[in-house]
Amino acid sequence: MTEPVSPFTYPSATQTVLAQRARIIKAIRCFFDNAGFLEVETPIRIPAPIPEAHIDIQTSDGWALQPSPELCMKRLLAAGHKKIYQICRCFRKGERGRRHVPEMTLLEWYAAGYTYLDLMAQCEDLIGFMAEKMGLGDQLVFQGHTVNLTPPWDRLTVDAAFQQFSGMSAEAALDQDCFDEEMGLVIEPRLGLQRPVFLYDYPIRCGSLARASRKSPGVAERFELYMAGMELCNAFSELVDPVEQRHRFEAANQIREASGKPVFPLPERFLADLAHMPEAAGNALGLDRLVMLLCNAPSIDDVIAFFPESL
C-alpha cells in the first residue's frame, strides 16, 4: 500500500534565498571571467576517481560520480589551458549533516604558474568581491559572529593550530590516529571567528595531491580557509610528478583495502597526462557553504532547492 504524501511544504530554501544564490553564482562567473579564466564543463560520471582513504564514492553503473572535477580539470591544464574554473555537482557517499549533503555544488578553479600563496590572495579578492555584490561591505555576520573581511587575512600553520588548541603537534595527532577528530571537534570551531584564517602547511600525509613544500620539510603546500568556524575551501600547489602521485594513490588504496572499503582502479589516463601538466595551483570551494555565509543561513538545507529527505 502506498503511503500518503504529506501536504505541500516548501521543499527547502525560500524564494528569497534562491534568488540570492543565483546572484552569488552570477557574481562568481563575473569575477573569474574578469580575471581571464575560462569556464569549463567536464563529465560528472567517471571510470576511476581519485583514491582517497577517507572519502567514499557514489557509484553509477560501475563508474563513479565525481567527488571533485579535479582529475579532468588537471588534464585540461596538461592539454594547454592556463586558467580554468567550473561550477558543478559533486558527490560524497554518506555525508549528511547541517553543513553536508551527499550531492553538493563545488566551485573549482586552477591556474598554471600559481602557487597556494597566490590562491590565498585570490580568495581574499573573491570573497571581498562577493561581499560587495551582496551589499555586505567589509563585514560578514554569520550566526552571531561578525567577521572582518579586510585583507590581509590571518595565516596559521596546521602545526601551530594543534599546538595552540590541542596541546600536541600535528604529527603526534596523526600518529595517535586522532588528527581528524581533534581538527573537527577542537580546532575548526575556533577558527575565523573574527577574521578569516588560512590554515596552511598540512603534514605531507594529509596532502595526497599537493606538492611537498620547498621551504618546510615534512609539509605539503596546502591550505583550507575558515570563516566563522566553517571550512570554506581546500587548495594546494599541485603535485605534477606522476611517479610520486602513483605512489600516493596506491598508498590510499592500501588504506581503503585494509579498512574493508571498495577500491577503484587508478586513473591511468590522468597519471599519463600529469607528466605534461605545468606547475599550477587549484582550489575547491564549497558553493553551498559560501551561500550559507553570505546569507547568514544556519543549515545547508536552507540554501539548496531540495534536500535529500524532501525528494
Side-chain angles (χ1 to χ4, degrees), residues 6 11 35 52 57 64 87 95 125 147 168 203 234 265 269-270 273 299:
S6 61
E52 294 275 10
I57 304 299
I87 298 170
E95 295 198 3
D125 292 341
V147 182
M168 68 175 76
N234 178 34
R269 292 185 184 274
F270 164 75
D273 289 349
S299 170

Side-chain angles (χ1 to χ4, degrees), residues 135-213:
L136 301 178
D138 59 2
Q139 287 190 337
L140 180 148
V141 177
F142 180 73
Q143 301 303 294
H145 299 290
T146 300
V147 182
N148 184 348
L149 300 178
T150 305
W153 296 346
D154 294 337
R155 272 82 166 155
L156 180 67
T157 68
V158 172
D159 193 61
F162 269 85
Q163 297 284 4
Q164 179 178 346
F165 298 119
S166 293
M168 68 175 76
S169 69
E171 288 292 340
L174 284 168
D175 291 339
Q176 297 174 32
D177 197 25
C178 64
F179 184 94
D180 290 339
E181 181 179 1
E182 289 293 311
M183 182 68 78
L185 298 179
V186 178
I187 297 173
E188 288 185 353
R190 303 182 183 185
L191 297 177
L193 300 184
Q194 296 178 319
R195 294 174 58 82
V197 59
F198 294 108
L199 190 68
Y200 72 104
D201 282 2
Y202 278 71
I204 197 71
R205 286 184 276 178
C206 301
S208 63
L209 290 99
R211 185 177 74 190
S213 174

